[in-house]
């Protein structure tokens, strides 16, 4: 997948999530979403944050740390949601959950440069988390087709996990930025 596909996917996830999930349901089965979508989006966001940090060496260090934190949160969320889904379906659902998370967390990753916006950063991050949960909910309804109460309970529990993990990652990155830029 190329750069054009990457930006088209970002646009589609952000502005037409229901159409994105409907169209992408079959195409995403053979896609390695972590390698072809999430890692490049996270890397782009980390490079966008570089000018906001005064010292170049510190900026690169924070970019590497930010990339590592975002990827770690993605992997931890994936493992937590697979175990939450149950062991009976864990093998068949693993790739679907990773794909769901890779595309759903796009708003959270894209607002990371707003971590330098002072008091507004909390409002922006809260809006990104709410929009991430909206995108994830649509994705769950499309990818993880199950019309029973178990699916509804899974959606609610996964929303709590996603919101908690993304907020912790945001707090960690904000703290590291403040710590390293104070020198």
């Amino acid at each position: 997948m190329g750069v054009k596909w990457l930006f088209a996917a970002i646009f589609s996830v952000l502005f037409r999530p229901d159409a994105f999930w409907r169209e992408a349901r079959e195409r995403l089965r053979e896609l390695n979403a972590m390698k072809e979508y999430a890692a490049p989006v996270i890397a782009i966001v980390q490079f966008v944050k570089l000018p906001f940090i005064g010292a170049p060496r510190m900026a690169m260090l924070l970019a590497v740390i930010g990339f590592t934190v975002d990827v770690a949160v993605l992997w931890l969320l994936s493992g937590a949601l697979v175990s939450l889904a149950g062991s009976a379906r864990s093998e068949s659902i693993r790739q679907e959950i990773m794909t769901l998370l890779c595309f759903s967390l796009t708003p959270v990753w894209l607002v990371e440069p707003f971590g330098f916006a002072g008091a507004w950063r909390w409002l922006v991050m809260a809006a990104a988390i709410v929009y991430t949960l909206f995108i994830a909910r649509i994705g769950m309804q499309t990818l993880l087709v199950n019309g029973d109460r178990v699916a509804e309970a899974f959606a609610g529990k996964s929303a709590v996990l996603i919101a908690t993990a993304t907020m912790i990652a945001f707090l960690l990155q904000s703290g590291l930025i403040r710590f390293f830029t104070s020198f």
Side-chain angles (χ1 to χ4, degrees):
M1 304 290 167
V3 175
K4 184 178 178 181
W5 176 84
L6 181 70
F7 286 109
I10 291 170
F11 181 82
S12 183
V13 165
L14 291 177
F15 300 110
R16 300 182 343 211
D18 49 348
F20 171 79
W21 288 117
R22 274 195 317 268
E23 294 169 3
R25 184 173 181 188
E26 293 302 319
R27 287 186 301 162
L28 294 179
R29 294 206 188 275
E30 61 270 353
L31 175 77
N32 182 348
M34 177 63 181
K35 179 181 163 189
E36 296 179 20
Y37 181 79
V41 170
I42 295 170
I44 289 169
V45 168
Q46 298 309 317
F47 284 123
V48 168
K49 290 192 310 188
L50 291 179
F52 294 110
I53 304 169
R57 181 174 287 160
M58 201 57 61
M60 287 306 295
L61 177 65
L62 287 172
V64 169
I65 291 171
F67 182 85
T68 305
V69 167
D70 285 339
V71 170
V73 165
L74 181 60
W75 279 105
L76 289 172
L77 272 174
S78 174
L81 292 182
V82 166
S83 66
L84 186 65
S87 60
R89 295 187 55 200
S90 67
E91 290 303 318
S92 65
I93 204 168
R94 184 169 308 201
Q95 183 178 3
E96 291 174 349
I97 286 179
M98 180 58 92
T99 301
L100 173 80
L101 287 172
C102 285
F103 287 100
S104 297
L105 290 173
T106 301
V108 171
W109 296 327
L110 292 180
V111 301
E112 282 183 16
F114 290 99
F116 300 96
W120 288 101
R121 71 178 185 255
W122 297 105
L123 180 63
V124 171
M125 189 60 183
I129 290 174
V130 169
Y131 197 58
T132 293
L133 296 177
F134 172 72
I135 293 171
R137 178 74 171 196
I138 293 171
M140 282 182 202
Q141 291 172 348
T142 305
L143 290 179
L144 312 173
V145 179
N146 252 348
D148 56 1
R149 287 182 179 239
V150 175
E152 290 298 318
F154 175 73
K157 290 175 185 175
S158 64
V160 170
L161 280 173
I162 291 170
T164 303
T166 54
M167 187 53 81
I168 289 171
F170 180 71
L171 288 171
L172 180 63
Q173 288 184 19
S174 295
L176 289 172
I177 288 170
R178 290 196 187 282
F179 177 75
F180 284 120
T181 57
S182 65
F183 291 114

